[in-house]
């Protein structure tokens, strides 16, 4: 299962769409069924000819877990009682996803990495801990510090006043 880019402005998600489509095409070329989850109508990845199954749905933890459960039968959910979902599960039996690839979709899927991992979803590709190390500003800064890599001064700010004070400090 490949997570696409989600809702970006038209023209700003082309690199994530290219990655997601390339991933799906590679999976299919290797003989795997490809499932795409995306809800951006301005992307090639939401073209139903690109994958075996397309879920035009939001990229939230709850929805991705629901779709993962339906397609893998990994956990029992209320969704399995729906006839349509049961038919889908049956059509994928033995050919459901071996996991979720989220590192090709950009920011939205990346923010789901740790939560999916904690929910025992098999994340393929970049390890969720490594995604978190890059996404979490504090962890990334600490990593740069341990490596001796210079970085600009930064601070998490929550008000305009704090931002003004910080700007005065750093110039």
């Amino acid at each position: 299962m490949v997570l696409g880019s989600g809702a970006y402005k038209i023209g700003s998600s082309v690199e994530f769409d290219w990655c997601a489509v390339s991933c799906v095409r590679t999976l299919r070329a290797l003989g795997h069924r490809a499932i795409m989850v995306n809800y951006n109508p301005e992307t090639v990845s939401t073209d139903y000819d690109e994958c075996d199954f397309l879920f035009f749905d939001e990229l939230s933890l709850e929805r991705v877990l629901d779709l993962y459960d339906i397609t893998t039968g990994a956990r029992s959910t209320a969704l399995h009682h729906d006839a349509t979902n049961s038919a889908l599960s049956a059509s994928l039996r033995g050919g459901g996803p071996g996991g979720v690839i989220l590192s090709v979709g950009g920011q939205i899927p990346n923010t789901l990495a740790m939560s999916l991992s904690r929910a025992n979803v098999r994340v393929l590709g970049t390890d969720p801990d490594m995604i978190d190390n890059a996404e979490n500003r504090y962890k990334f800064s600490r990593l740069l510090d341990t490596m001796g890599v210079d970085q600009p001064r930064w601070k998490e700010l929550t008000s305009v006043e704090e931002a003004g004070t910080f700007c005065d400090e750093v110039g």
Side-chain angles (χ1 to χ4, degrees), residues 4-64:
S5 61
Y8 281 89
K9 295 176 189 169
I10 294 172
S12 69
S13 62
V14 68
E15 68 276 17
F16 301 123
D17 192 45
W18 181 88
C19 291
V21 170
S22 295
C23 182
V24 164
R25 288 177 179 171
T26 300
L27 288 170
R28 293 180 88 185
L30 293 172
H32 300 285
R33 284 186 165 178
I35 300 168
M36 172 61 67
V37 182
N38 199 357
Y39 65 101
N40 185 340
E42 299 297 330
T43 59
V44 176
S45 62
T46 54
D47 181 337
Y48 62 89
D49 290 331
E50 286 296 330
C51 52
D52 298 297
F53 293 92
L54 169 64
F55 291 99
F56 195 77
D57 215 330
E58 68 177 311
L59 293 168
S60 66
L61 177 63
E62 179 181 35
R63 201 59 196 134
V64 171

Side-chain angles (χ1 to χ4, degrees), residues 31-33 35 53 70-73 88-98:
H32 300 285
R33 284 186 165 178
I35 300 168
F53 293 92
I70 291 167
T71 57
T72 64
L88 177 61
S89 293
S91 71
L92 283 168
R93 195 161 286 125

Side-chain angles (χ1 to χ4, degrees), residues 70 77-93:
I70 291 167
T77 68
L79 291 173
H80 284 288
H81 300 292
D82 179 278
T84 303
N85 293 330
S86 294
L88 177 61
S89 293
S91 71
L92 283 168
R93 195 161 286 125

Side-chain angles (χ1 to χ4, degrees), residues 15-170:
E15 68 276 17
F16 301 123
D17 192 45
W18 181 88
C19 291
V21 170
S22 295
C23 182
V24 164
R25 288 177 179 171
T26 300
L27 288 170
R28 293 180 88 185
L30 293 172
H32 300 285
R33 284 186 165 178
I35 300 168
M36 172 61 67
V37 182
N38 199 357
Y39 65 101
N40 185 340
E42 299 297 330
T43 59
V44 176
S45 62
T46 54
D47 181 337
Y48 62 89
D49 290 331
E50 286 296 330
C51 52
D52 298 297
F53 293 92
L54 169 64
F55 291 99
F56 195 77
D57 215 330
E58 68 177 311
L59 293 168
S60 66
L61 177 63
E62 179 181 35
R63 201 59 196 134
V64 171
L65 287 174
D66 287 344
L67 294 172
Y68 185 77
D69 290 345
I70 291 167
T71 57
T72 64
R75 297 177 301 204
S76 177
T77 68
L79 291 173
H80 284 288
H81 300 292
D82 179 278
T84 303
N85 293 330
S86 294
L88 177 61
S89 293
S91 71
L92 283 168
R93 195 161 286 125
V100 175
I101 300 171
L102 48 84
S103 58
V104 297
Q107 189 69 37
I108 295 171
N110 281 347
T111 61
L112 299 175
M114 293 304 292
S115 297
L116 289 171
S117 180
R118 283 188 212 106
N120 295 319
V121 169
R122 184 173 178 218
V123 176
L124 303 173
T126 307
D127 184 274
D129 288 323
M130 295 299 102
I131 292 172
D132 188 52
N133 283 342
E135 290 288 323
N136 182 306
R137 189 173 305 249
Y138 296 99
K139 290 180 182 180
F140 189 72
S141 179
R142 198 170 350 156
L143 176 64
L144 292 178
D145 288 342
T146 62
M147 296 171 58
V149 175
D150 289 337
Q151 57 184 307
R153 216 172 126 205
W154 67 275
K155 188 175 190 178
E156 184 175 2
L157 307 166
T158 58
S159 71
V160 174
E161 293 77 26
E162 285 180 309
T165 301
F166 183 71
C167 287
D168 290 339
E169 289 174 15
V170 297

